């Protein structure tokens, strides 16, 4: 069986270093807001190229906290791609803001920058881009629009640790970014974890306070905050794994190269990228008309696949208010996409097997 993602094998490579960090935390007797968070936030900010990074409880909270940090709420509109994982949109609606859904570019799967301007109203406060599947959104037009209409750019970088646009990394392509370190992400914790990155000192201080009960110093509360902190164990584990992120991303890139060069089945539409630096291949998503039959075929040949994602957010029961929206490109993507195995621990033999079996499908 070729696993979609072998998390045990991924983390086993770092077992002794992870064990030693866990020991450090146990020995210290200090479990929250300590040295491991200091180290990880410093190293992660440096990795992204931002001035600040703050560890938080998970990726959804990271996005939520950014919106809270800006004080956006009822009546405010945030432009967001319709083709995303539902968490992006939940962060907007949870704050009482209105998500304005925009169709993606069928080639990159990211938001189509040409469709944004028509959606801007006097209530628009921000554009939330999603670097979906690991590919950084081409930002130029979005930067220009944000400037022209005085909008904030919020990045959902949950799938794009290390992806680059014009030499700058995801997390440093807007005003603030939310990351997830859910175990299956390119940089994954051994549990839930997330981070906010930004260059905005005021925003950073406010989010830091909000994430800690709205407190800027002990027992002094300036905001009605929440509890969303990254614990010391996860921070230490992430700090270990961050050292290997670039090497892991390079392995993903090499596999994606091999797939893109050798999969030549005309029934399969391969993913496209506008720049090899832009994509960290969190998932390798192909499109196929008869998806269910293809998935069953791969399964019968011992290849695990996952669908990212089977139902568009606007078609979910949770968003009945969007059920009448027609978003044909988003809907087509949700109907046709399927993700092939890709990970830093796949062997060349496994990669070749996937190619052979995919090419044999008819
Ligand atoms: C994983 C993910 C999130 C949410 O992250 P969690 O850590 O699971 O809360 C948000 N947006 C996207 C695009 C994601 O892939």
């Amino acid at each position: 069986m070729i696993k979609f993602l072998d998390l045990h094998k991924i983390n086993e490579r770092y077992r002794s270093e992870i064990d030693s960090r866990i020991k450090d935390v146990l020995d210290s007797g200090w479990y929250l807001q300590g040295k491991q968070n200091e180290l990880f936030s410093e190293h992660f900010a440096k990795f992204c190229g931002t001035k600040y990074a703050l560890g938080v409880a998970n990726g959804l909270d990271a996005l939520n906290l950014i919106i809270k940090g800006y004080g956006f709420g009822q009546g405010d509109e945030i432009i967001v791609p319709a083709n995303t994982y539902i968490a992006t949109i939940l962060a907007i609606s949870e704050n009482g803001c209105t998500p304005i859904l925009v169709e993606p570019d069928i080639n990159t799967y990211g938001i189509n920058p040409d469709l944004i301007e028509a959606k801007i109203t006097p209530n628009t406060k921000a554009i939330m881009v999603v670097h979906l599947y690991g590919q950084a959104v081409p930002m130029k037009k979005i930067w220009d629009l944000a400037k022209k209409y005085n909008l904030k750019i919020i990045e959902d970088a949950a799938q794009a640790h290390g992806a680059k646009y014009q030499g700058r990394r995801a997390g440093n392509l807007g005003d603030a970014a939310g990351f997830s370190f859910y175990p299956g992400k390119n940089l994954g914790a051994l549990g839930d974890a997330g981070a906010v990155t930004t260059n905005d000192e005021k925003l950073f201080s406010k989010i830091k306070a909000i994430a800690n009960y709205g407190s800027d110093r002990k027992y002094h509360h300036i905001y009605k905050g929440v509890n969303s902190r990254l614990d010391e164990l996860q921070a230490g584990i992430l700090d270990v794994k961050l050292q290997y992120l670039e090497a892991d991303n390079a392995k993903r890139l090499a596999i994606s190269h091999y797939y893109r060069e050798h999969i030549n089945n005309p029934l399969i539409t391969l993913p496209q990228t506008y720049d090899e630096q832009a994509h960290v291949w969190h998932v390798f998503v192909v499109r196929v008309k008869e998806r269910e039959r293809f998935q069953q075929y791969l399964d019968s040949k011992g290849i695990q696949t996952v669908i990212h994602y089977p139902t568009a957010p606007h078609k979910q029961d949770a968003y009945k208010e969007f059920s009448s929206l027609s978003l044909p490109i988003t809907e087509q993507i949700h109907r046709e996409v399927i993700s092939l195995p890709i990970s830093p621990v796949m062997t060349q033999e496994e990669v070749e097997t996937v190619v052979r079996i995919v090419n044999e499908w008819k």
Side-chain angles (χ1 to χ4, degrees):
M1 167 69 85
I2 298 178
K3 281 195 177 179
F4 179 72
L5 187 67
D6 190 338
L7 286 179
H8 181 266
K9 197 169 169 189
I10 284 176
N11 290 315
E12 193 59 28
R13 298 173 299 163
Y14 314 126
R15 183 187 277 269
S16 66
E17 278 184 88
I18 289 173
D19 277 348
S20 120
R21 283 300 174 110
I22 292 174
K23 183 173 180 299
D24 287 349
V25 174
L26 266 172
D27 288 347
S28 77
W30 193 271
Y31 310 115
L32 288 166
Q33 296 181 301
K35 185 174 157 220
Q36 301 300 329
N37 266 273
E38 260 171 48
L39 287 171
F40 176 64
S41 53
E42 185 195 326
H43 295 152
F44 193 65
K46 199 166 167 202
F47 176 82
C48 295
T50 56
K51 286 190 188 145
Y52 308 101
L54 177 73
V56 299
N58 56 64
L60 175 58
D61 275 9
L63 299 171
N64 242 320
L65 284 160
I66 293 167
I67 297 172
K68 284 186 174 43
Y70 281 125
F72 298 150
Q74 205 71 46
D76 293 336
E77 295 174 358
I78 299 182
I79 289 173
V80 66
N83 181 46
T84 184
Y85 180 57
I86 197 166
T88 322
I89 296 169
L90 287 173
I92 297 171
S93 53
E94 197 171 317
N95 284 284
C97 303
T98 307
I100 304 295
L101 307 183
V102 172
E103 285 268 67
D105 177 330
I106 189 80
N107 294 314
T108 64
Y109 300 117
I111 193 166
N112 184 339
D114 294 330
L115 303 179
I116 294 176
E117 191 162 16
K119 301 280 188 179
I120 295 173
T121 75
N123 296 325
T124 310
K125 291 293 190 307
I127 303 169
M128 193 131 150
V129 298
V130 183
H131 306 305
L132 198 70
Y133 304 151
Q135 174 150 246
V137 170
M139 296 297 293
K140 178 70 177 75
K141 278 184 194 150
I142 298 171
W143 286 337
D144 292 345
L145 286 173
K147 205 164 174 189
K148 182 171 169 190
Y149 294 96
N150 192 26
L151 307 175
K152 297 295 179 195
I153 297 175
I154 303 170
E155 294 171 79
D156 179 342
Q159 301 187 355
H161 321 73
K164 280 182 182 167
Y165 175 71
Q166 294 187 355
R168 279 162 63 179
R169 283 215 159 108
N172 187 27
L173 297 173
D175 295 287
F179 283 90
S180 165
F181 308 117
Y182 175 82
K185 300 291 162 82
N186 287 31
L187 178 58
L190 306 190
D192 274 317
V196 173
T197 57
T198 184
N199 291 307
D200 180 338
E201 203 222 323
K202 255 177 69 182
L203 180 75
F204 174 75
S205 307
K206 187 168 173 189
I207 290 175
K208 194 171 172 180
I210 294 173
N212 188 33
Y213 305 112
S215 167
D216 62 342
R217 56 197 148 89
K218 204 163 176 129
Y219 303 133
H220 187 257
H221 302 269
I222 49 180
Y223 308 110
K224 296 185 187 80
V226 298
N227 173 4
S228 183
R229 299 177 298 219
L230 175 62
D231 67 67
E232 285 283 282
L233 279 174
Q234 298 300 346
I237 291 162
L238 287 166
D239 195 48
V240 167
K241 292 185 69 181
L242 177 59
Q243 302 169 80
Y244 305 102
L245 175 59
E246 280 190 83
D248 278 2
N249 282 345
K251 286 189 193 147
R252 288 173 181 272
L253 177 62
I255 295 169
S256 90
H257 262 299
Y258 195 87
Y259 280 166
R260 285 177 290 152
E261 272 174 24
H262 294 91
I263 295 176
N264 54 21
N265 188 330
L267 300 173
I268 310 290
T269 306
L270 290 168
Q272 293 181 23
T273 174
Y274 59 91
D275 177 346
E276 291 296 299
Q277 297 278 300
H279 211 319
V280 291
W281 302 97
H282 171 57
V283 280
F284 190 91
V285 176
V286 301
R287 288 205 323 274
V288 51
K289 298 278 181 216
E290 289 184 79
R291 178 174 67 189
E292 206 174 320
R293 193 168 68 82
F294 183 55
Q295 188 169 36
Q296 279 166 6
Y297 162 80
L298 293 177
D299 190 59
S300 75
K301 302 282 181 185
I303 297 174
Q304 260 185 2
T305 54
V306 177
I307 291 167
H308 298 97
Y309 299 90
T311 306
H314 71 283
K315 294 290 186 193
Q316 296 281 0
D317 290 345
Y319 282 109
K320 292 209 170 67
E321 63 269 42
F322 293 142
S323 62
S324 63
L325 286 182
S326 169
L327 296 158
I329 299 173
T330 300
E331 287 157 29
Q332 182 195 344
I333 290 170
H334 283 77
R335 228 173 15 247
E336 297 182 355
V337 289
I338 176 164
S339 305
L340 302 179
I342 192 165
S343 88
V345 294
M346 262 182 100
T347 63
Q348 181 61 22
E349 194 191 340
E350 287 175 324
V351 174
E352 286 170 17
T353 303
V354 171
V355 168
R356 181 173 52 77
I357 288 170
V358 167
N359 283 340
E360 280 168 10
W361 188 61
K362 47 189 186 313

